[in-house]
Amino acid sequence: MEFLLENIKNDIEELSEKEFLIKYLLKSNNWYFSEYQNQSEHHAIQQMETLKEILNKNIGVAFHNVLMVGSGKTGYSLAPNKDFKKFDEGDDNSDIDIAIISSKLFEFVWEKIRIEYSIKYTSQYKQIASSIFRGFINEHNFTSIDEVRPMWNEQIDKANKEIQKKLSIYHPVNYRIYRSWEDLELYHINGLRKLKKIFIN
């Protein structure tokens, strides 16, 4: 699969949101490993499998419930407000966005956040509540809570070091925990609908 912006734009117009999601996000093709790291298709798939193994070992998430998303996956941002920004284009370095699909981890983190509720984190709780309603939790929201951060960092720091060492990923890695695959699909389908309205109109 060639990750060309022209093809992506054509498919946004011609494919349904679900068809686009399957083709560009859910299938095993990966721009970061194949294009940015210049790996063969076979080796790029192996790299992604190693990433899944690392997260399975360090945080216990099921092997197949790890997915790279965002511009690291496709080469270009599909966020409605980013105008197809190319990965690592401009002054700011891009991040690697990883989706973790785990109802168990989702509930564990959400329970920890509830227990540690404090008025000093009001702004974070508003963002967290909004995302919880849609079936996901962003890492950067709950790691801003002092009482929750050590629990997460203890597990994820080892994973990030191993990802850097074994996969030569030196970009920051961001995690989003989804309650289910359905929640992940709905989140991205809604984003694609917004993108279609902006792009086609």
Side-chain angles (χ1 to χ4, degrees):
M1 175 178 173
E2 289 189 71
F3 296 91
L4 300 176
L5 182 56
E6 182 183 355
N7 293 345
I8 291 173
K9 288 181 174 180
N10 286 340
D11 284 339
I12 286 172
E13 287 195 73
E14 296 175 8
L15 301 179
S16 70
E17 291 89 357
K18 186 65 176 283
E19 289 170 332
F20 187 94
L21 179 71
I22 291 171
K23 181 175 181 177
Y24 285 95
L25 291 182
L26 300 184
K27 286 189 175 180
S28 57
N29 305 305
N30 186 291
W31 178 89
Y32 186 85
F33 292 131
S34 64
E35 302 292 330
Y36 190 84
Q37 292 192 346
N38 197 29
Q39 307 283 356
S40 67
E41 183 178 348
H42 174 70
H43 195 218
I45 291 172
Q46 287 185 320
Q47 291 282 86
M48 190 61 212
E49 289 185 348
T50 299
L51 175 61
K52 293 178 179 183
E53 288 175 4
I54 291 169
L55 291 173
N56 170 263
K57 178 179 71 175
N58 286 283
I59 64 173
V61 64
F63 178 84
H64 290 295
N65 286 2
V66 175
L67 184 70
M68 188 183 291
V69 294
S71 58
K73 174 71 171 176
T74 62
Y76 300 89
S77 175
L78 300 177
N81 61 338
K82 292 195 175 179
D83 195 29
F84 299 102
K85 181 179 179 290
K86 189 169 174 37
F87 186 89
D88 249 7
E89 183 179 65
D91 297 332
D92 298 327
N93 287 333
S94 296
D95 298 332
I96 299 294
D97 296 314
I98 301 295
I100 295 172
I101 302 89
S102 171
S103 60
K104 182 179 178 181
L105 184 58
F106 177 92
E107 295 296 340
F108 176 79
V109 173
W110 179 216
E111 178 65 17
K112 188 75 172 172
I113 293 168
R114 287 201 301 265
I115 290 171
E116 301 298 346
Y117 177 82
S118 170
I119 195 68
K120 67 180 178 179
Y121 301 122
T122 301
S123 61
Q124 284 90 346
Y125 280 113
K126 287 179 181 178
Q127 292 175 321
I128 291 169
S130 174
S131 65
I132 290 286
F133 180 77
R134 292 179 286 163
F136 64 85
I137 307 176
N138 284 321
E139 176 193 29
H140 66 81
N141 287 142
F142 65 78
T143 52
S144 62
I145 300 173
D146 294 339
E147 293 81 3
V148 178
R149 184 172 53 254
M151 170 275 300
W152 174 254
N153 285 352
E154 184 178 347
Q155 299 179 78
I156 210 65
D157 282 354
K158 287 177 66 178
N160 285 337
K161 288 175 183 175
E162 200 169 341
I163 286 169
Q164 191 176 85
K165 181 179 178 181
K166 290 186 175 180
L167 301 176
S168 299
I169 293 178
Y170 300 107
H171 291 85
V173 181
N174 295 323
Y175 297 92
R176 177 177 285 167
I177 303 167
Y178 287 88
R179 179 175 50 198
S180 68
W181 280 100
E182 289 78 12
D183 288 311
L184 177 141
E185 289 187 10
L186 185 58
Y187 173 84
H188 286 284
I189 284 172
N190 285 337
L192 287 168
R193 284 176 183 160
K194 292 176 184 177
L195 182 61
K196 269 192 174 187
K197 285 181 181 178
I198 296 169
F199 177 62
I200 295 175
N201 294 336

